[in-house]
Structure formats: structure tokens, C-alpha cells
């Protein structure tokens, strides 16, 4: 006879006596009710505040085309704000071909940079090694300010002894070092700095960076190109062109110390959960008796260094061009600065670049624009952009007018202006 009360319990009867064989009920393993991918990427650990406050180029484009003329591969700008544009789509086969779309765009102000030096690198089994550095004879005050913690209390004599090399023996030491770079080095980069005095950012120290030179028949051609740029301004349109793909490097907006739900995107616990629900229910097993590094925890969120790839250049504007936002469909003469200025930034008075979509950082944050590392072949990346309209209405509220003239024409004579 089989007892059906337990799945694995058998009772066998032989007359009056009974032999009972008991087996315990089957123990099912612990399990989770639903399967799901983990929340948050581990590829960006550690989530700490960056030390590269101005952005950093970790990789330059590969220098493969020796037939190309020597050229720079990066530039620095400052985030001003965002607006939107209307453009025609020229992508045969796409659903939106020959139709109009509205795109969000970011505006980056890019005043000219100044080249103040050149540095040569030698390839070694352990990576690049600096061979030597040559600086220009005359350096600006905003460059020298970056060399001091306290400019006011300093003697302001940075590079004064170095500049005498240009007048000693006809500058033989300088020429010797340049020849060494051209003879032994495989990578040549210029040292350039921003001109923050042209901006209304209330800072006086220049941002200094290295920019790699690609192209040229040999290393000597790169050195000659770099020397020809000493103490000269380089503009953004000499580095990038319209419809080009660029990479943007910078620091994201900081949010301080935040919990796991916001920081990692984990699921909230049920409403009636004791002691809070924006938590991780189980942070690990009993053993090993420590919390794994892969478990979401509260901590710093934002102010991370990030590189965004493939931002298309929609337009490059020049300083003093009052009709820089004029198009064939919109003949209104207007500059890129919206009515009332960009919120938390102000007016744009220098060269500027319009990039598709959003970019990292808050307003006024220094960004680095770099030539793309990829060879693009898709129609999306090779498309020629035809802008129909650029919005310059006020960004502080719901802007109705594109220019002050349009507003005055619509409202008529104001009583406040008649006094």
C-alpha cells in the first residue's frame, strides 16, 4: 500500500505487523521569482569625482595618411547652451527622406587658441616617452598664471630665463631641440592654451592642453608645421568642418551623494516595506562575509569624466557675423545668441560650433572636441545637413519672438518707451 499523503513516503503492511519506510519531503532550492539583467554598468567603476576637471584626451586618431597635409586633431570650447533647428533629411531609402525634422542642438563657444610649444614622443615597449619640449619665445600672461598657485604674490618670472635661449647664439639650442624631435620622434604634439580673457567667465588662468599633429610626409614636416604656429591663433574652422563627426570629452553634471535607486536604477521595493523602499533588498550571501563590489550601493553620482562619440557638426559660426543663423528658408539676419542670452551663460561673441544633440556638462564647462577615431561609411554619418531654421527665441520661458525687431513690431509702441 502506498500512502499518498507524502510524495516520498511508502507504507508496506504484512498482516498485523507493519514496516514503515519514511523519506523526508523534497527540499526545493531557493530561487528568485523573476530573472533580469543587472542594473547599471560595471564598466564605469569606480564612480568617483574625476580629477580631470577640464577633460582629457586619452586617445588621438591614428596617423595613417602620410599624404595628407599636417593638421591638428582637437580643439577646446565652452558649453553655452542648447536650442533647436529644423532641417531637411537627405537620406535615400529612409522613411524621413525629403521631409523636415526638428533636432535639438548644443552650442559650444570656441574662441581661438594660441600655440605656445611643441613636444615630441618616442615609442617604447612601454608606451610613449617624452623626448623633449620646446616653448615659444613670448608667452601670454594667462598662460603664465596657470604656472602659479598665487599669481599676485609671485615674482611673475616664469619662463623668463628660458626665453633668453632665443637670443643666445642665435637660438642654436632651440633649433637643436627641434631637430632632435624631427629626427627621433614618431609622435608630435603642440602645446596650446585657451584665451579665457575673450570670454565672460570670470577666470584668468588659461586651459593648457596637448594637440596631436597628424599628416605630413615625415616627422620633420610635423615639426615645421608646429613651429609655424608658434604664438599664433588657431581657429576652430581650421580644425573641423561642417558635417564632420567629432567626439566630445568633458565632465558630467555633479549630483552629489545619492541612493541606489537613482545611482544604479535598481527596482523600488513594495510600498509596505519596513525602513524604506528605495533600497537593495539583499546585498549578498552570508559567505563570503563581505559585500561584493558588484552590489549597487549609495555614493557619488555625477561629475564623472565621459567621452561621447560621433556628434555631427551642423554649423560653424564666426565672430562678428550678425547673420550667422540665416538660412535659405529663413532670411532674418540674426546671430546665435537667443533673446536674453543663453541661460546661465550670456552672450556669444566669439566663434562657435553647433553640434547635434546634448553634450556632457553644465553651462560654462570646458569641453574638448576631437576628430573622430572611426572611419565613417554609413549614410547617417555622411549625410549633408541642410538647415532650414535656427531658433533664437528666449530660453527663459516660452519664447515667442526670434529677434527684438520682431517683438517691437508685434507689440507696437510701448508706454514705457514713450516717456
Amino acid at each position: 500500500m502506498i500512502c499518498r499523503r507524502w510524495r516520498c513516503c511508502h507504507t508496506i503492511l504484512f498482516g498485523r505487523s507493519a514496516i514503515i519506510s519514511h523519506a523526508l519531503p523534497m527540499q526545493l532550492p531557493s530561487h528568485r521569482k523573476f530573472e533580469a539583467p543587472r542594473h547599471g554598468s560595471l564598466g564605469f567603476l569606480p564612480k568617483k569625482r574625476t580629477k580631470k576637471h577640464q577633460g582629457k584626451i586619452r586617445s588621438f586618431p591614428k596617423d595613417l595618411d602620410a599624404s595628407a597635409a599636417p593638421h591638428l586633431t582637437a580643439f577646446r570650447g565652452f558649453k553655452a547652451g542648447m536650442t533647436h533647428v529644423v532641417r531637411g533629411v537627405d537620406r535615400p531609402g529612409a522613411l524621413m527622406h525629403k521631409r523636415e525634422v526638428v533636432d535639438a542642438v548644443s552650442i559650444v563657444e570656441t574662441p581661438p587658441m594660441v600655440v605656445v610649444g611643441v613636444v615630441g614622443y618616442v615609442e617604447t615597449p612601454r608606451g610613449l616617452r617624452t623626448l623633449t619640449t620646446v616653448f615659444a619665445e613670448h608667452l601670454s600672461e594667462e598662460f603664465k598664471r596657470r604656472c602659479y598657485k598665487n599669481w599676485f604674490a609671485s615674482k611673475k618670472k616664469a619662463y623668463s630665463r628660458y626665453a633668453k635661449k632665443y637670443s643666445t647664439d642665435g637660438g642654436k639650442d632651440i633649433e637643436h631641440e627641434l631637430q632632435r624631435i624631427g629626427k627621433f620622434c614618431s609622435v608630435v604634439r603642440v602645446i596650446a592654451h585657451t584665451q579665457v580673457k575673450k570670454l565672460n567667465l570670470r577666470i584668468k588662468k588659461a586651459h593648457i592642453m596637448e594637440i596631436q599633429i597628424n599628416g605630413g610626409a615625415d616627422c620633420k614636416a610635423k615639426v615645421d608645421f608646429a613651429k609655424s604656429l608658434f604664438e599664433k591663433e588657431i581657429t576652430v574652422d581650421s580644425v573641423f568642418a561642417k558635417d564632420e563627426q567629432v567626439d566630445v570629452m568633458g565632465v558630467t553634471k555633479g549630483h552629489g551623494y545619492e541612493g541606489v535607486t537613482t545611482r544604479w536604477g535598481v527596482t523600488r521595493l513594495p510600498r509596505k516595506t519596513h525602513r524604506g523602499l528605495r533600497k537593495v533588498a539583499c546585498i549578498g550571501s552570508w559567505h563570503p562575509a563581505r559585500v561584493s563590489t558588484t552590489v549597487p550601493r549609495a555614493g557619488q553620482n555625477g561629475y564623472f569624466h565621459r567621452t561621447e562619440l560621433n556628434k555631427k557638426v551642423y554649423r560653424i559660426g564666426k565672430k562678428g557675423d550678425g547673420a550667422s543663423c540665416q538660412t535659405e528658408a529663413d532670411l532674418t539676419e540674426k546671430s546665435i545668441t537667443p533673446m536674453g542670452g543663453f541661460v546661465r551663460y550670456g552672450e556669444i561673441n566669439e566663434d562657435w560650433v553647433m553640434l547635434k544633440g546634448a553634450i556632457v556638462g553644465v553651462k560654462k564647462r570646458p569641453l574638448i572636441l576631437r576628430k573622430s577615431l572611426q572611419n565613417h561609411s554609413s549614410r547617417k554619418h555622411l549625410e549633408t545637413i541642410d538647415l532650414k531654421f535656427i531658433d533664437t527665441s528666449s530660453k527663459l520661458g516660452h519664447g515667442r519672438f526670434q529677434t527684438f525687431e520682431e517683438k517691437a513690431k508685434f507689440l507696437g509702441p510701448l508706454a514705457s518707451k514713450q516717456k
Side-chain angles (χ1 to χ4, degrees):
M1 174 179 177
I2 299 176
C3 177
R4 301 182 182 278
R5 187 171 182 179
W6 296 98
R7 184 185 305 172
C8 298
C9 179
H10 304 285
T11 304
I12 307 173
L13 299 179
F14 295 96
R16 292 183 180 180
S17 64
I19 301 176
I20 301 176
S21 173
H22 287 286
L24 294 176
M26 183 183 295
Q27 296 291 327
L28 296 177
S30 174
H31 69 284
R32 59 185 298 178
K33 201 169 183 182
F34 303 103
E35 299 294 332
R38 68 160 289 113
H39 287 274
S41 172
L42 298 179
F44 296 100
L45 292 180
K47 288 195 170 186
K48 298 166 60 176
R49 288 188 294 271
T50 182
K51 296 180 181 178
K52 310 293 190 298
H53 309 291
Q54 305 169 9
K56 177 181 174 63
I57 301 179
R58 295 191 171 103
S59 298
F60 282 96
K62 290 185 177 180
D63 186 14
L64 302 176
D65 188 6
S67 62
H71 59 275
L72 301 177
T73 54
F75 206 82
R76 187 181 288 278
F78 300 84
K79 182 175 179 178
M82 295 186 69
T83 184
H84 68 267
V85 299
V86 178
R87 68 178 181 92
V89 178
D90 182 20
R91 206 183 305 164
L95 181 65
M96 298 301 294
H97 180 53
K98 292 189 176 180
R99 299 170 70 178
E100 292 183 349
V101 296
V102 178
D103 281 344
V105 293
S106 297
I107 309 299
V108 181
E109 189 168 12
T110 53
M113 299 182 70
V114 178
V115 175
V116 293
V118 59
V119 54
Y121 291 91
V122 178
E123 289 185 357
T124 70
R126 294 181 299 275
L128 296 177
R129 179 180 68 84
T130 306
L131 179 69
T132 185
T133 305
V134 177
F135 285 94
E137 182 178 5
H138 304 99
L139 304 176
S140 65
E141 179 185 304
E142 50 194 348
F143 174 84
K144 294 179 181 179
R145 278 178 179 268
R146 181 60 68 178
C147 305
Y148 290 95
K149 183 74 172 179
N150 188 342
W151 173 258
F152 174 77
S154 69
K155 296 182 179 180
K156 307 177 179 58
K157 295 178 70 66
Y159 293 95
S160 58
R161 190 175 300 173
Y162 184 90
K164 295 179 182 178
K165 290 185 178 182
Y166 279 89
S167 56
T168 304
D169 295 335
K172 286 184 178 180
D173 288 349
I174 300 296
E175 289 299 324
H176 176 67
E177 293 300 314
L178 290 174
Q179 290 174 6
R180 286 184 65 209
I181 296 176
K183 183 177 181 180
F184 298 111
C185 294
S186 56
V187 174
V188 179
R189 297 173 183 172
V190 298
I191 300 174
H193 70 83
T194 58
Q195 300 186 82
V196 290
K197 63 183 180 182
K198 294 180 177 290
L199 303 174
N200 188 25
L201 297 183
R202 298 189 300 175
I203 55 177
K204 299 179 181 179
K205 291 184 180 181
H207 303 88
I208 306 172
M209 63 181 292
E210 290 184 2
I211 305 176
Q212 185 163 307
I213 299 176
N214 283 359
D218 54 9
C219 199
K220 186 178 182 304
K222 293 181 173 64
V223 174
D224 294 339
F225 175 73
K227 185 181 178 183
S228 67
L229 296 177
F230 274 13
E231 303 178 23
K232 294 182 181 178
E233 291 185 345
I234 52 174
T235 56
V236 67
D237 58 351
S238 66
V239 180
F240 302 113
K242 180 180 174 294
D243 300 327
E244 186 177 351
Q245 300 286 338
V246 301
D247 301 335
V248 180
M249 277 147 283
V251 181
T252 62
K253 181 190 293 187
H255 298 282
Y257 193 98
E258 289 193 317
V260 287
T261 304
T262 300
R263 192 179 187 221
W264 291 96
V266 300
T267 305
R268 295 193 311 159
L269 301 178
R271 181 186 62 83
K272 298 179 71 173
T273 305
H274 185 47
R275 290 179 180 165
L277 51 81
R278 296 173 66 87
K279 296 173 178 289
V280 175
C282 177
I283 61 172
S285 58
W286 191 309
H287 289 289
R290 53 191 172 274
V291 180
S292 171
T293 57
T294 61
V295 176
R297 307 291 273 165
Q300 172 68 27
N301 191 28
Y303 205 73
F304 305 138
H305 186 280
R306 292 291 180 264
T307 299
E308 294 185 329
L309 305 180
N310 300 335
K311 299 289 184 181
K312 198 175 187 71
V313 178
Y314 275 11
R315 179 167 288 195
I316 297 178
K318 297 296 294 181
K319 173 184 178 180
D321 185 2
S324 58
C325 289
Q326 193 177 50
T327 64
E328 293 183 0
D330 180 22
L331 299 178
T332 306
E333 289 192 5
K334 55 184 181 179
S335 62
I336 189 61
T337 304
M339 293 188 63
F342 281 103
V343 180
R344 297 186 180 91
Y345 188 85
E347 297 181 355
I348 288 184
N349 298 315
E350 298 293 327
D351 299 348
W352 52 270
V353 177
M354 179 187 293
L355 302 176
K356 180 182 179 180
I359 54 179
V360 298
V362 296
K363 313 296 187 301
K364 302 179 183 178
R365 182 149 292 174
L367 304 172
I368 293 178
L369 310 180
R370 179 192 65 189
K371 285 184 176 291
S372 178
L373 301 182
Q374 306 167 354
N375 292 323
H376 299 284
S377 58
S378 68
R379 286 182 295 178
K380 175 184 176 182
H381 291 154
L382 300 179
E383 180 182 358
T384 301
I385 300 300
D386 177 26
L387 296 181
K388 302 292 183 67
F389 170 75
I390 301 174
D391 181 66
T392 56
S393 61
S394 174
K395 304 304 172 191
L396 191 66
H398 301 280
R400 296 174 57 191
F401 309 105
Q402 296 294 316
T403 61
F404 289 101
E405 291 77 12
E406 179 185 344
K407 180 179 180 180
K409 185 176 180 180
F410 179 84
L411 296 179
L414 301 178
S416 60
K417 304 296 183 182
Q418 303 302 315
K419 296 179 182 180

